[in-house]
């Protein structure tokens, strides 16, 4: 019974028949359920798969096919309607909504922003639900599961960026590269269209480079290291949406030279400060062989100084001084001395860069005065010279005479000569006729390339007749040709010695020079009677500058090296390049001169390479550098001493004479810059110049007589030769003055000058003699000030009558040595302070005895003071003799002495005032003595009434009353 009744329920519900036994609501619910079971018979239907597209940052999904659900129960309400689309999956950013329940149309949309860079695609399951039979979800029917595949459409929101902020590449010059380097950019967009880089572009203009789509950079032309060593270019990138890179990248391309074998890491200019010792020339040099197989290497370093003076830093002292320094024998005659009053035959010659170098242009010659060189040379003598000579001018080469001794008149015989002919050096020596009338060697020929290479060379010709030997730059050369000739018959014709040309006195209408020399000569000397030794010759041609090697012991055992005699050429050889590099880094330059010649010294490094059995070996270019020798600090030589004094006539007549320079002082100083400590104003330390003394040698001091030459009949200058020899100096004496020469210290010259004396046999006719001293270093390169000395005779007049005293005008001049500090170099100069004042002292006869008595006491005090002031001139002092009393007066006219003008310093005035006070205090307190002292106390008006220059009275050491100005 029960099943049958249950089957009727749906039918009743469909017919609207309710149950009579229940409420209304309960009845409706039952009816709907019955109706749903009867009406909602079908499930919704949708497509089995969907494909959708959504643009990122958008919420609309475009589906293909559209989202539509169908239900066969339609048009039954609820059962035929679509109430929902449900998506199956976790955390999906999409939702489906029903747009029309009746038609079943729906839409798929994004619940949150979609980012393609996070996820490009989505796949999920979707189902459609009908509305069942009522507004509630109960009894909803769902469709089958459909697959939805959604692609996210990309937006070009990101710009390309390069993987590296900068790129760097190195290329070799002279090559074309397919690809120097590749740049690469990336894009964070998700789609191929916007994430791929479609193009690269070089932003920098006018560069020889190009770039392709893949970022490969190539050069469009051959690059040159010399033209440009580095290029910097900017590159940008574009994605396929033509969006450019946010920031360009920098590409740096370095151009390196083609690997050429040669020396690397050396400096072209090397500076040398005088006095700095040995300075390395190539501290970092090394050889680049470009992987060449080298078996051995020979390196030659050459210091080229042949264009500086005489081929090196040799312009130091005169030839005589150099000969003496090298230990040469005495008796050397300088045929080309520096022009002076005593050696005036070189005054008309051209001077080339130095007073010791003479240039001959083919039109000049010099006659050597008679008596300079002996007329007949012995069988032994030496000729030395520096010579620079090039090829002879003209098609037909003529003889070019260096030295020639020929007949002065009548004939044209050449007794001996040295000349150049066709780049051959020829020495002619014609012996005089004697008992053996036979052929003898007369011409000696040497053929050397150096004679015409336009470089300086040192030549020494040693003659030990009949053997003649030539030394050139210290090496020995024998003549390749010796020609014999007859001896010259004796005659009474005088001979003329010449330099630079040969004198043709006979066989011509007018005597003249002939066979002129073209070139430069220096230090041409002749030494009669003796030959020079090899040691002296090597010393004379030696150089004060050259190459050196620091730390010889650190050189590798496989390194061989060799210096030439002058150390201007160094040859090194080895089979290990590393050892050669280290050895070459120790090569240095040294200049031992205190005052080297400033300027450039060229330096050349040449190399020879041997390879392992290869026909073609690498070639190493030469290194051309130069050393710049800076200017040395120049010394300031100053002569100081007493500039004026008086002596009695008896001293001039004595055997010892008058010592001229008893207190001469030679000081050499240089200016040194120092920073001051006052930095408040400018913040930087101001610099001040400070004089500092320096010690060096002198090579001559000339004492000249001013106001006319000496008269040898009654006056002369004298110097004990033992004083010279003890100090290894020489001197020449003439009526024009005295010349002391030779390389010696300043103290040696001081000691010699202290003993120079002047004698005069007739001093009564002499009023004043003036002398001048001038000293030199480096043959006149640095000279002192001109120190002038004035010497006067102190005349004496004996007074025998008292009436003569009553009318005397007392005005004799006398010099007192007073030292004044004048500069920070402690230079003191003795000042002469004579005054001009006419003081008429009328002394009665009764006062004379009193003056004499007081004078005896005063003279002892003055004598002690005088000894302290003139300690260096003890020989000029006079013995005390009180047996004869004389009053010395000056018969000369009034004289205004130096030091009394308006420019006199206050220090000198104060010192004189102190002396006046000291003198006055030593006397008696007697009023008469005070009156006498008042006249000599001072130019400064400390006592006395005279406002000018009153005299100052004292006694000399001979018991003679002197009135000092």
């Amino acid at each position: 019974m029960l099943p049958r009744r249950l089957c009727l329920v749906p039918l009743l519900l469909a017919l609207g028949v309710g149950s009579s036994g229940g409420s209304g609501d309960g009845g409706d619910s039952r009816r709907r359920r019955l109706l749903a079971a009867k009406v909602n018979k079908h499930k919704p239907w949708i497509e089995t798969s969907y494909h959708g597209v959504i643009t990122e940052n958008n919420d609309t999904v475009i589906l293909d096919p559209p989202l539509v659900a169908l239900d066969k129960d339609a048009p039954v309400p609820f059962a035929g309607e679509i109430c929902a689309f449900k998506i199956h999956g976790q955390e999906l950013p999409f939702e489906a909504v029903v747009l029309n329940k009746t038609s079943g149309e729906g839409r798929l949309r994004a619940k949150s922003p979609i980012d393609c860079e996070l996820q490009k695609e989505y796949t999920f399951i979707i189902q459609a639900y009908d509305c069942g039979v009522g507004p509630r979800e109960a009894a909803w029917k769902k469709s089958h599961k459909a697959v939805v595949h959604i692609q996210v459409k990309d937006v070009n929101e990101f710009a390309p960026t390069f993987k590296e902020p900068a790129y760097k590449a190195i290329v070799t010059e002279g090559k074309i590269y397919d690809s120097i380097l590749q740049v690469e950019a990336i894009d964070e967009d998700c789609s191929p269209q916007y994430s791929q880089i479609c193009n690269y572009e070089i932003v920098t203009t006018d560069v020889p480079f190009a770039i392709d789509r893949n970022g490969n950079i190539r050069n469009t032309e051959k690059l040159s290291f010399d033209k440009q060593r580095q290029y910097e270019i900017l590159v940008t990138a574009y994605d396929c949406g033509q969006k450019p890179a946010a920031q360009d990248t920098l590409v740096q391309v370095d151009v390196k030279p083609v690997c050429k074998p040669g020396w690397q890491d050396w400096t072209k200019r090397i500076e040398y400060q005088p006095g700095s010792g040995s300075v390395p020339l190539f501290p970092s040099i090394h050889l680049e062989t470009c992987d060449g197989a080298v078996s051995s290497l020979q390196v030659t370093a050459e210091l080229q100084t042949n264009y500086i003076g005489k081929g090196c830093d040799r312009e130091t002292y005169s030839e005589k001084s150099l000969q003496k320094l090298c230990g040469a024998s005495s008796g050397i005659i300088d045929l080309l001395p520096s022009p002076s009053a005593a050696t005036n035959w070189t005054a008309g010659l051209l001077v080339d860069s130095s007073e010791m170098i003479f240039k001959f242009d083919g039109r000049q010659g010099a006659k050597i005065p008679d008596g300079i060189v002996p007329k007949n040379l012995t069988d032994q003598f030496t000729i030395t010279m520096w010579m620079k000579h090039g090829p002879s001018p003209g098609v037909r080469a003529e003889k070019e005479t260096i030295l020639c001794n020929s007949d002065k008149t009548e004939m044209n015989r050449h007794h001996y000569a040295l000349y150049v002919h066709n780049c051959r050096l020829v020495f002619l020596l014609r012996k005089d006729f004697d008992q053996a009338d036979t052929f003898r060697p007369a011409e000696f020929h040497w053929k050397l390339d150096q004679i015409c290479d336009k470089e300086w060379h040192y030549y020494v010709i040693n003659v030990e007749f009949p053997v003649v030997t030539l030394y050139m730059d210290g090496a020995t050369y024998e003549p390749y040709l010796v020609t014999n000739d007859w001896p010259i018959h004796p005659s009474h014709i005088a001979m003329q010695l010449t330099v630079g040309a040969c004198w043709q006195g006979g066989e011509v209408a007018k005597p003249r020079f002939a066979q002129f020399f073209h070139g430069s000569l220096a230090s041409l000397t002749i030494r009669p009677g003796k030959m020079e030794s090899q040691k002296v010759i090597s010393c004379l041609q030696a150089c004060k500058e050259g190459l050196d090697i620091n730390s010889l012991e650190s050189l590798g055992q496989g390194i061989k090296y060799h210096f030439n005699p002058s150390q201007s050429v160094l040859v090194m050889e080895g089979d290990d390049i590393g050892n050669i590099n280290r050895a070459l880094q120790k090569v240095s330059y040294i200049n031992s001169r205190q005052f080297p010649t400033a300027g450039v010294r060229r330096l050349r490094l040449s190399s020879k390479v041997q390879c392992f059995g290869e026909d073609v070996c690498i070639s190493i270019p030469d290194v051309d550098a130069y050393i710049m020798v800076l200017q040395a600090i120049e010394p300031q030589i100053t002569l100081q001493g007493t500039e004026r004094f008086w002596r009695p006539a008896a001293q001039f007549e004595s055997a010892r004479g008058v010592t001229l320079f008893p207190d001469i002082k030679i000081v050499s100083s240089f200016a040194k810059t120092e920073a001051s400590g006052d930095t408040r104003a400018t913040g930087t330390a101001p610099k001040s110049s400070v004089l500092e003394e320096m010690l060096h040698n002198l090579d001559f001091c000339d004492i000249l007589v001013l106001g006319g030459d000496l008269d040898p009949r009654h006056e002369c200058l004298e110097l004990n030769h033992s004083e010279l020899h003890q100090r290894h100096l020489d001197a020449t004496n003439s009526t024009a003055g005295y010349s002391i020469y030779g390389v010696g210290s300043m103290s040696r010259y001081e000691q010699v000058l202290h003993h120079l004396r002047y004698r005069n046999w007739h001093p009564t006719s002499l009023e004043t003699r003036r002398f001048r001293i001038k000293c030199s270093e480096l043959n006149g390169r640095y000279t002192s000030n001109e120190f002038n000395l004035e010497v006067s005779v102190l005349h004496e007049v004996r007074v025998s009558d008292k009436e003569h005293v009553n009318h005397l005008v007392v005005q004799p001049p006398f010099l007192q040595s007073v030292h004044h500090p004048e500069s920070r170099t402690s230079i003191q100069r003795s000042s002469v302070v004579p005054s001009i004042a006419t003081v008429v002292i009328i002394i009665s006869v009764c006062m004379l005895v009193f003056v004499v008595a007081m004078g005896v006491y005063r003279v002892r005090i003055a004598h002690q003071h005088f000894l302290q002031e003139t300690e260096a001139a003890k020989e000029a002092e006079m013995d005390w003799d009180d047996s004869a009393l004389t009053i010395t007066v000056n018969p000369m006219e009034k004289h205004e002495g130096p030091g009394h003008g308006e420019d006199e310093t206050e220090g000198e005035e104060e010192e004189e005032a102190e002396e006046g006070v000291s003198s006055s205090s030593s006397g008696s307190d007697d009023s008469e003595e005070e009156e006498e002292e008042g006249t000599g106390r001072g130019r400064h008006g400390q006592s006395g009434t005279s406002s000018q220059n009153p005299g100052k009275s004292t006694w000399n050491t001979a018991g003679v009353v002197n009135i000092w100005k």
Side-chain angles (χ1 to χ4, degrees), residues 532-553:
E532 290 297 353
S533 65
Q534 178 71 41
K535 181 180 179 181
V536 173
I537 294 172
S538 299
C539 175
L540 290 173
Q541 64 93 31
C543 182
K544 295 296 183 181
E545 61 180 340
L547 300 175
D548 193 16
I549 296 181
N550 293 331
S551 183
L552 289 173
E553 63 275 3

Side-chain angles (χ1 to χ4, degrees), residues 484-522:
N484 296 331
D485 204 346
W486 294 103
I488 294 179
H489 288 274
S491 66
H492 299 287
I493 302 175
M495 291 181 288
Q496 178 64 61
L497 182 61
T498 57
V499 175
C502 196
W503 182 254
Q504 189 171 0
E507 302 177 0
V508 290
K510 183 180 179 180
R512 58 181 175 85
F513 281 117
Q515 301 175 2
F516 291 96
F517 179 72
H518 297 78
S520 298
L521 296 174

Side-chain angles (χ1 to χ4, degrees), residues 252-272:
Q252 180 178 308
V253 180
D254 292 333
V255 182
K256 71 174 184 179
V258 176
C259 185
K260 299 176 183 178
W263 295 101
Q264 305 292 329
D265 295 338
W266 54 273
T267 305
K268 188 176 184 65
R269 174 188 170 104
I270 305 115
E271 289 190 353
Y272 183 83

Side-chain angles (χ1 to χ4, degrees), residues 49-66:
S49 63
Y50 293 91
H51 294 276
V53 176
I54 184 173
T55 303
E56 63 176 345
N57 300 324
N58 199 347
D59 62 349
T60 301
V61 179
I62 300 175
L63 285 178
D64 183 23

Side-chain angles (χ1 to χ4, degrees), residues 928-961:
E928 294 178 351
E929 182 182 357
E930 290 179 358
E931 181 181 356
E932 180 184 333
E933 288 292 317
T935 63
R937 214 182 273 176
R939 306 179 301 229
H940 310 289
Q942 293 181 359
S943 65
T945 58
S946 176
S947 62
Q948 296 180 354
N949 295 323
K952 182 178 179 181
S953 175
T954 187
W955 289 78
N956 68 4
T957 58
V960 180
V961 178

Side-chain angles (χ1 to χ4, degrees), residues 207-317:
V207 289
F209 298 96
I211 191 170
D212 61 13
R213 291 186 175 182
N214 295 322
N216 294 304
I217 298 177
R218 60 183 178 86
N219 56 318
T220 57
E221 61 184 48
K222 293 181 180 181
L223 305 179
S224 173
F225 176 79
D226 296 331
K227 181 180 179 181
Q228 189 166 345
R229 300 185 179 186
Q230 187 182 82
Y231 292 89
E232 291 184 349
I233 57 178
L234 294 175
V235 176
T236 190
Y238 294 90
D239 60 16
C240 293
Q242 293 303 308
K243 191 169 189 174
Q247 185 174 0
D248 300 336
T249 187
L250 175 66
V251 179
Q252 180 178 308
V253 180
D254 292 333
V255 182
K256 71 174 184 179
V258 176
C259 185
K260 299 176 183 178
W263 295 101
Q264 305 292 329
D265 295 338
W266 54 273
T267 305
K268 188 176 184 65
R269 174 188 170 104
I270 305 115
E271 289 190 353
Y272 183 83
Q273 182 67 44
S276 56
S278 183
V279 174
L281 297 174
F282 310 107
S284 303
I285 196 170
H286 65 276
L287 181 63
E288 174 64 60
T289 60
C290 297
D291 300 327
V294 177
S295 61
S296 65
L297 176 64
Q298 183 186 83
V299 181
T300 301
E302 182 180 2
L303 182 67
Q304 300 174 345
T305 59
N306 46 9
Y307 56 93
I308 300 176
K310 293 180 294 187
C312 181
D313 203 1
R314 294 187 175 96
E315 284 74 1
T316 52
Y317 303 110

Side-chain angles (χ1 to χ4, degrees), residues 62-131:
I62 300 175
L63 285 178
D64 183 23
L67 182 61
V68 177
L70 301 177
D71 195 322
K72 291 182 179 181
D73 294 326
V76 179
F78 296 106
E81 295 177 347
I82 303 300
C83 276
F85 292 97
K86 290 188 177 180
I87 296 174
H88 299 281
Q90 294 181 353
E91 298 181 357
L92 290 174
F94 297 98
E95 63 180 356
V97 295
V98 178
L99 299 180
N100 190 325
K101 294 183 177 181
T102 303
S103 63
E105 182 180 359
R107 176 180 296 176
L108 188 64
R109 65 185 181 186
K111 295 187 298 183
S112 60
I114 303 300
D115 191 349
C116 178
E117 285 72 37
L118 294 178
Q119 190 168 344
K120 297 180 182 180
E121 297 179 349
Y122 293 89
T123 301
F124 52 86
I125 301 298
I126 191 171
Q127 286 181 302
Y129 288 81
D130 62 12
C131 295

Side-chain angles (χ1 to χ4, degrees), residues 643-656:
E643 296 180 347
R644 185 178 184 186
F645 64 83
W646 289 259
R647 291 291 183 267
Q651 288 193 21
F652 290 91
E653 296 175 338
S654 65
R656 292 187 57 83

